[in-house]
Amino acid sequence: MTTVEVPERPGEVEVVASFATSPLGEAPGAAPDGELCRVLGFDAALDAAVVLGRRGPGQPVEVVAGLGPAALVDAEAIRRAAAAAVRATPRVSSLRLELAGVDPPELSSEEVAQAACEGALLAAYRFERYKSERQGSPLERVELAGVDPGPGRRGASRAEVVAGVVTLARDLVNTPAGELTPRRFEELARELAALEGLGIRVLDEQAIVEERLGGLLAVSRGSAEPPRLVRLEHAPGAVAGSPPVALVGKGITFDSGGLSLKSGTSMMTMKTDMSGAAAVLAALVGSARLGIGVHAVGWMALTENMPGGRATKPGDVLRARNGKTIEVLNTDAEGRLVLADALSLAAEESPDSIVDLATLTGACITALGRGVAGLMGNDDRLLAALRAAGRRAGEAVWHLPLPSGYRSQIESEVADMKNIGAPGEAGALAAGLLLEEFVGTTPWAHLDIAGPARSETDGGYRHKGGTGFGVRTLLELLARYEPLGGRAEGLSTGTEVLR
Ligand code: BES
Ligand code: ZN
Ligand code: ZN
C-alpha cells in the first residue's frame, strides 16, 4: 500500500506535480513555465498532464496537471488532476503533490488534501495478482506540500482509508469467480470483521432453508456451491441501540443466467455481479476504520447463478422471506430474487433506512450508460441525501422514477408477481418496483450499479475492471447521516409520475 505524508519540510522526492486551471496562467497554482506548457500543447484541461522535466541537475522532475476551468474546480476535479499526474509518470515510485493555490471556495484544505490523495492512490491501483510480471505503477509514497500540516495530515489519512477500502472492493470484483465463491467471500468477511471489530452473523445453507429465504435458495439451486447470507454490523457505543442504516448488496459471485443462460459474450464479465456486496463490505470496513459514529448494518446475499440439474426452471414459483410469491419467468433476473430476501431481513429490524446496491439490470446501462448509476426509492429525503453523497464522492447517480402505474408490468398469472417486466420497457424500473415490495414502510433507496461497477476503459482514477463504485458514496452518506425517523408522509418524487 502506498503511504501518504505531509512532512513539515518536503523530503527527498524526485517528482513534483503542481496544478493549473484553464486557461493556463490563471490562478491557482500558476504553471511553472507557461511558455513551455503551451509549446507542449498542455492547456490545463481536466485529465491532462504534462511532464516538463528538470530545471537543472539535482532538481526534481516537474509535472503539471490540469484542473479545468477555475470556476468548476471541485473535489472531483482535484482527484482527476492528481490521477492525471500519476498516469503521466507511470514508473515513478515517489511523488510530491504541490497543493499551494488549490483552494476552491467550497472546499476546506483537509478536503483538498483528501481529494488529491484519493485521486493519486486510486490511479496507482492495479490488479496484478495473476500477472507473472508487475506492470503497474510502482508508486509507494505520496507527499503533500503547500497545505497546512494539520488539515493536510487529516485529509491524507482519510484518503488512505477511503482508497484502501475502494481497493478492497475493486480486488473483490476483479477476483475470478472460481476463487471468490460465496464461502470464500464469507471467510474474507469474517477475517475483516475480526480485524475491524465488526459484528458478524452468517446464515449457511441450512439456516437459509430454516429462515425461509426462498429467493436466495431458488437462485442457488443450480449451483454446486452453497449460498451464504452475511450480516455485518458497525455499532459504535453511543449509538449501538439506535435504528441502524441498513446497507444491502447483491452478491452473485457468478451470473451465468441460470437456465435462461447468457451468451458467451455476456457472461465474460459476470464475476462482477457481486459488486453490490463488495461495496457493502468495503463501506462497513471503512466506517469502522474512519470511526464514523453511525450505527450501520450490512447485508450481503451471496450465491452463484448456475444452470445445474436442480436449477430453478422458468415458470417455477418461489416464496420469499416476507411470504410473497414470485413466478420466475427468467432465471437471469436473479438479483431481485436474492435481494427480496435480504431486503425483507433488513426491514424486519426496523432500520432508520435501507440502501441497496446491485448490478441489477442491463436496462439501466441502456438508460444511463457506464458512468452513471440509477437511483430509485420511496423517500425523498433519503434520495436527496444519496444524490448529495454521490456528488461529494464524485460518483454519478441519477434519480429514476418508480411509477406505481408500472406495477402492472410485474403482475403474474399465478403468483403475487413475476420477476420480469414488459419486454424492452423500462427494465430498471420494473426491477426497482419488485424490490419495493420487500421493504415495507422503511425509507429505502436502490442504486442500480450495473453500468459503473465495471469500467471498460482506463481513465482518470478508474481502470478497466472493477471500479469499487458505491463505496465512497456510502461512506459520504454515513459520515453525514441525519436519522429520518420513519417515512415521510405522502408520495415520493417519481412515485406520482404515473398513478
Ligand atoms: N447481472 C445482470 C445485469 C447486468 C448486465 C449487470 C450487464 C452488469 C452488466 C442481471 O442479473 C441480469 O441478467 N438481468 C437481466 C434481467 C432481464 C432478464 C429481465 C438483464 O438485464 O438482461
Ligand atoms: Zn442475471
Ligand atoms: Zn445478475
Side-chain angles (χ1 to χ4, degrees):
M1 181 72 204
T2 314
T3 61
V4 190
E5 283 187 34
V6 193
E8 303 288 345
R9 270 176 287 119
E12 293 288 313
V13 177
E14 295 154 283
V15 182
V16 178
S18 57
F19 298 87
T21 53
S22 59
L24 197 60
E26 289 195 351
D33 189 335
E35 199 46 46
L36 182 53
C37 284
R38 259 183 286 274
V39 169
L40 296 173
F42 173 75
D43 54 2
L46 192 56
D47 295 325
V50 67
V51 181
L52 297 178
R54 291 183 201 278
R55 282 175 193 249
Q59 298 288 309
V61 171
E62 292 183 22
V63 182
V64 190
L67 289 163
L72 301 183
V73 174
D74 59 4
E76 181 63 1
I78 297 170
R79 282 184 206 103
R80 284 182 33 194
V86 170
R87 284 188 184 276
T89 55
R91 306 251 52 91
V92 163
S93 61
S94 190
L95 179 66
R96 184 191 311 153
L97 303 175
E98 176 55 70
L99 295 175
V102 185
D103 50 7
E106 64 279 19
L107 294 180
S108 66
S109 42
E110 179 174 335
E111 288 167 328
V112 169
Q114 182 181 343
C117 289
E118 272 179 18
L121 297 176
L122 291 174
Y125 173 84
R126 292 295 184 285
F127 185 71
E128 301 197 303
R129 203 181 297 161
Y130 300 97
K131 294 273 190 195
S132 303
E133 278 170 37
R134 252 189 96 111
Q135 299 170 334
S137 164
L139 192 67
E140 275 172 2
R141 200 181 132 82
V142 176
E143 207 177 280
L144 298 186
V147 58
D148 288 342
R153 287 204 184 97
R154 286 196 298 277
S157 68
R158 286 185 73 82
E160 278 189 277
V161 172
V162 171
V165 293
V166 172
T167 294
L168 165 67
R170 288 178 176 182
D171 282 348
L172 288 169
V173 173
N174 289 332
T175 300
E179 187 177 325
L180 189 65
T181 58
R183 285 182 296 171
R184 179 72 188 125
F185 197 116
E186 172 201 351
E187 258 173 45
L188 290 168
R190 283 192 190 280
E191 285 168 24
L192 286 162
L195 272 173
E196 308 300 338
L198 298 168
I200 182 162
R201 216 175 73 210
V202 178
L203 303 186
D204 63 10
E205 195 168 18
Q206 194 190 332
I208 289 169
V209 173
E210 284 164 11
E211 295 295 330
R212 305 180 315 284
L213 305 189
L216 185 52
L217 280 171
V219 177
S220 68
R221 291 178 62 87
S223 170
E225 287 289 336
R228 291 289 187 264
L229 191 289
V230 174
R231 179 188 184 277
L232 284 175
E233 182 168 18
H234 169 62
V239 295
S242 64
V245 178
L247 308 177
V248 176
K250 169 178 173 181
I252 304 296
T253 59
F254 187 73
D255 183 9
S256 74
L259 285 173
S260 312
L261 198 64
K262 286 184 183 292
S263 71
T265 315
S266 308
M267 225 185 272
M268 286 199 289
T269 55
M270 281 301 133
K271 66 175 182 183
T272 310
D273 214 20
M274 34 56 72
S275 297
V280 169
L281 173 60
L284 266 284
V285 171
S287 346
R289 289 189 186 160
L290 291 170
I292 293 177
V294 172
H295 187 190
V297 170
W299 300 89
M300 284 140 277
L302 304 163
T303 179
E304 293 184 340
N305 183 26
M306 296 288 280
R310 289 168 40 78
T312 293
K313 302 162 190 74
D316 283 355
V317 174
L318 65 86
R319 187 180 295 278
R321 165 78 183 181
N322 73 350
K324 293 191 184 180
T325 56
I326 309 177
E327 182 186 15
V328 181
L329 287 179
N330 189 318
T331 62
D332 197 12
E334 83 298 338
R336 62 200 80 183
L337 306 179
V338 307
L339 287 172
D341 288 334
L343 290 168
S344 302
L345 282 174
E348 281 170 27
E349 294 187 348
S350 304
D352 192 64
S353 64
I354 303 178
V355 178
D356 80 70
L357 290 90
T359 45
L360 206 60
T361 65
C364 201
I365 308 181
T366 304
L368 297 174
R370 297 210 170 266
V372 184
L375 169 66
M376 288 149 260
N378 65 6
D379 187 292
D380 283 338
R381 295 164 305 162
L382 183 60
L383 293 168
L386 272 159
R387 293 174 65 190
R391 167 105 215 282
R392 290 194 298 276
E395 295 185 318
V397 306
W398 199 259
H399 181 206
L400 301 174
L402 286 178
S404 34
Y406 286 7
R407 173 64 181 70
S408 56
Q409 291 190 7
I410 58 168
E411 269 166 21
S412 159
E413 271 172 43
V414 296
D416 295 334
M417 66 199 91
K418 59 184 164 87
N419 78 329
I420 51 171
E425 290 183 33
L429 314 189
L433 283 163
L434 186 142
L435 299 184
E436 192 175 23
E437 299 283 325
F438 299 89
V439 298
T441 55
T442 308
W444 156 77
H446 158 57
L447 279 169
D448 190 332
I449 60 170
R454 185 186 148 82
S455 178
E456 296 298 339
T457 52
D458 284 322
Y461 54 85
R462 293 183 178 90
H463 302 269
K464 260 184 217 159
T467 58
F469 187 96
V471 176
R472 290 180 301 122
T473 296
L474 290 178
L475 289 174
E476 287 290 342
L477 177 78
L478 293 175
R480 305 202 193 187
Y481 192 76
E482 302 275 354
L484 302 172
R487 242 184 92 182
E489 293 285 322
L491 298 171
S492 60
T493 313
T495 308
E496 83 291 9
V497 172
L498 188 61
R499 257 191 279 170

